[in-house]
């Protein structure tokens, strides 16, 4: 089995949220913007939701094409972008590729976009 797509986990994300009231470094802002660009597409958001809601928490590109109404090459392109952004893991099984969400990547993005006061209130619940 070959796993691909932990770029976000391997990449150092900014420790300071752009909403924290402190300035964010240029390189950190560029890294975060790259991940947000990957998410800023309706088809990619739909693919993420379909993969997350799949019975095993993973989906094959072959099963996603009909659900999103796009061609296989287009779906593969969107999945590649999400994988390179670190939002998905890809596992090759024979000729098919299966995708699953990287929960830590989703949590990292959520934390960076949650103002610090709300973040601490959310954790105490």
């Amino acid at each position: 089995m070959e796993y691909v797509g932990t770029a976000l986990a391997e990449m150092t994300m900014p420790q300071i949220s752009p909403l924290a009231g402190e300035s964010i470094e240029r390189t950190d802002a560029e890294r975060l913007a790259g991940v947000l660009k990957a998410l800023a597409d309706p088809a990619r958001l739909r693919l993420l939701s379909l993969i997350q809601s799949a019975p095993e928490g993973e989906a094959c590109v072959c099963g996603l094409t009909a659900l999103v109404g796009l061609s296989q090459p287009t779906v593969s392109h969107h999945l590649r972008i999400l994988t390179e952004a670190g939002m998905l893991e890809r596992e090759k099984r024979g000729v098919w590729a299966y995708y699953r969400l990287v929960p830590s990547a989703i949590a990292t993005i959520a934390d960076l976009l949650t103002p610090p006061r709300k973040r601490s209130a959310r954790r105490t619940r």
Side-chain angles (χ1 to χ4, degrees):
M1 287 186 246
E2 174 192 355
Y3 288 98
V4 178
T6 55
L8 187 64
E10 293 169 2
M11 173 172 62
T12 304
M13 289 303 291
Q15 296 300 308
I16 299 171
S17 167
L19 306 175
E22 298 177 34
S23 66
I24 186 170
E25 295 292 324
R26 180 185 179 123
T27 55
D28 290 337
E30 289 170 354
R31 275 183 262 157
L32 180 57
V35 173
L36 295 176
K37 283 180 186 178
L39 293 174
D41 182 278
R44 292 183 204 134
L45 289 173
R46 183 110 198 277
L47 286 166
L48 285 173
S49 72
L50 289 168
I51 293 167
Q52 177 65 28
S53 64
E56 300 294 319
E58 66 178 15
C60 176
V61 67
C62 59
L64 294 169
T65 55
L67 295 173
V68 293
L70 298 170
S71 69
Q72 184 273 322
T74 301
V75 171
S76 291
H77 168 75
H78 287 304
L79 292 170
R80 180 182 55 80
I81 290 171
L82 290 167
T83 301
E84 289 175 355
M87 305 306 292
L88 295 176
E89 279 184 329
R90 177 181 177 267
E91 181 184 349
K92 185 97 167 152
R93 298 181 197 158
V95 296
W96 297 111
Y98 289 79
Y99 295 85
R100 75 179 64 70
L101 262 63
V102 177
S104 61
I106 303 294
T108 297
I109 297 302
D111 274 351
L112 288 172
L113 296 177
T114 303
R117 287 179 297 216
K118 293 194 181 208
R119 193 180 316 152
S120 60
R122 192 173 65 188
R123 287 186 181 142
T124 59
R125 288 182 192 170

